[in-house]
Amino acid sequence: SLSQGRWQAGIGEYFKGPSTRLRKFYRFMDFLSEFRGEDSRRWFSLPSHTSSKDPRALDLFQISFESYLRRADLLDDEVRYVTEYACNDDYGSTIGEVSAWAGLHYFCCRPRSHEQVILSSQMGNGYLVKNLVKKIPAPKRQLQNLLCSVRKKEDQWECLIYTKNGFHVQPCNALVFCGKSHIPRRLFPENPEIRELLPEALEQAPWLVSQILLRKVPEGLLRPLRWDNVSKESRSVGYVYSNFFQEKIKDPVVLTHFYPTKAARGISGSKLGAMKSAELGNLVLEDFQSMNPELIPYVQHVILRRHVHGMGIPKPGWILPSLREHRLPQNFYMANSDSFGL
């Protein structure tokens, strides 16, 4: 949880006398977070394409995270809770559905001996976009455009752009793509060899995201809340307290609750789509009954949204595109994370 501008102990670290396997798991993650392959790169790194291509590391894409933990004699109820939370949160999936590489990357991509620097803002990705846009001189800034197709012409990219004034071709020296990963495969009609190098779309898990508006809540009930609130008793991955960054709390108080319905309750996407609002609302309120029942009397309004998880499930057998033998063309950069949450 984020408290007083610093991130406090993570999930699983509040167990009373953590199990032998959980202590062993964390010690092993400490070791793996610094471990380097034959190419002198860390096995698990950020950005993910800087990770080692050591064959022993890449073999971890072929087995499930759950299988890996069992083979290493690292799995018990506490380790399962910590690792399932990670996979629920990042992919909306279970530890049996993701590869060992993806599961381990979550815990080992930052050297655990270093101080962790994490950026967080009530604006979410809007904070990053706002600051990136500041770096682009106003005359070169083009907003509200639609990118229709791209082709490589000698050392440049030619982008077919649609604006309110019609179509035009925009040449550029470099292309940075920050959208959903299934889109670029459609953007290169004249360059099939480029399409083949781009990441395929992965299965995305069903996901219920709810905004809960609270009527005036006594300050004493709000004081324990943090930016990110997680409870071991919950079937969800917890909720964000959206007013956390306000110096003086303004009404309404908004909580954003995240529920990986298939991983936590076996509710498929089609079943989630067919459920009535009252049923969905009961799911959320039941979860709060296990976490913060004292807040339920103050619930004024619940906005329920059925989604697929923003990031796909990196199943065993699927290798991160940037770690395959093929490379993306020069001056083309994929900045998306929805395929793999890495």
Side-chain angles (χ1 to χ4, degrees), residues 30-94:
D30 289 345
F31 166 74
L32 271 186
S33 73
E34 303 273 9
F35 191 73
R36 294 180 182 271
E38 293 176 352
D39 52 9
S40 299
R41 291 185 172 190
R42 290 194 298 114
W43 271 28
F44 306 101
S45 183
L46 281 177
S48 52
H49 74 267
T50 61
S51 300
S52 174
K53 291 187 178 180
D54 188 314
R56 295 173 300 165
L58 298 184
D59 282 348
L60 296 171
F61 280 110
Q62 302 303 325
I63 62 170
S64 75
F65 193 21
E66 183 173 25
S67 298
Y68 181 91
L69 293 170
R70 285 191 188 284
R71 288 185 197 177
D73 192 29
L74 286 172
L75 196 60
D76 67 0
D77 288 346
E78 292 186 8
V79 174
R80 180 176 289 277
Y81 168 69
V82 170
T83 53
E84 288 278 19
Y85 179 91
C87 292
N88 283 189
D89 189 41
D90 246 25
Y91 316 113
S93 66
T94 65

Side-chain angles (χ1 to χ4, degrees), residues 130-196:
K130 183 179 176 183
N131 284 279
L132 284 169
V133 168
K134 285 179 184 176
K135 302 289 184 184
I136 304 172
K140 293 186 177 181
R141 196 181 303 151
Q142 298 179 39
L143 305 175
Q144 297 183 340
N145 293 350
L146 176 67
L147 176 62
C148 300
S149 69
V150 184
R151 70 176 180 174
K152 184 85 169 176
K153 191 171 182 182
E154 297 175 352
D155 293 332
Q156 282 195 318
W157 298 98
E158 287 189 345
C159 302
L160 181 63
I161 304 286
Y162 179 75
T163 69
K164 61 184 178 182
N165 297 319
F167 289 94
H168 73 277
V169 174
Q170 173 72 55
C172 57
N173 295 324
L175 197 63
V176 181
F177 183 80
C178 310
K180 293 289 184 182
S181 65
H182 63 276
I183 295 172
R185 296 177 69 82
R186 313 276 182 177
L187 287 177
F188 295 87
E190 296 182 27
N191 301 91
E193 73 282 1
I194 293 176
R195 286 205 306 272
E196 294 307 312

Side-chain angles (χ1 to χ4, degrees), residues 1-11 13 118 226 228 244:
S1 291
L2 182 62
S3 174
Q4 298 176 346
R6 296 186 64 83
W7 287 88
Q8 306 303 313
I11 59 164
E13 295 180 19
I118 299 174
R226 297 292 177 255
D228 201 355
F244 180 80

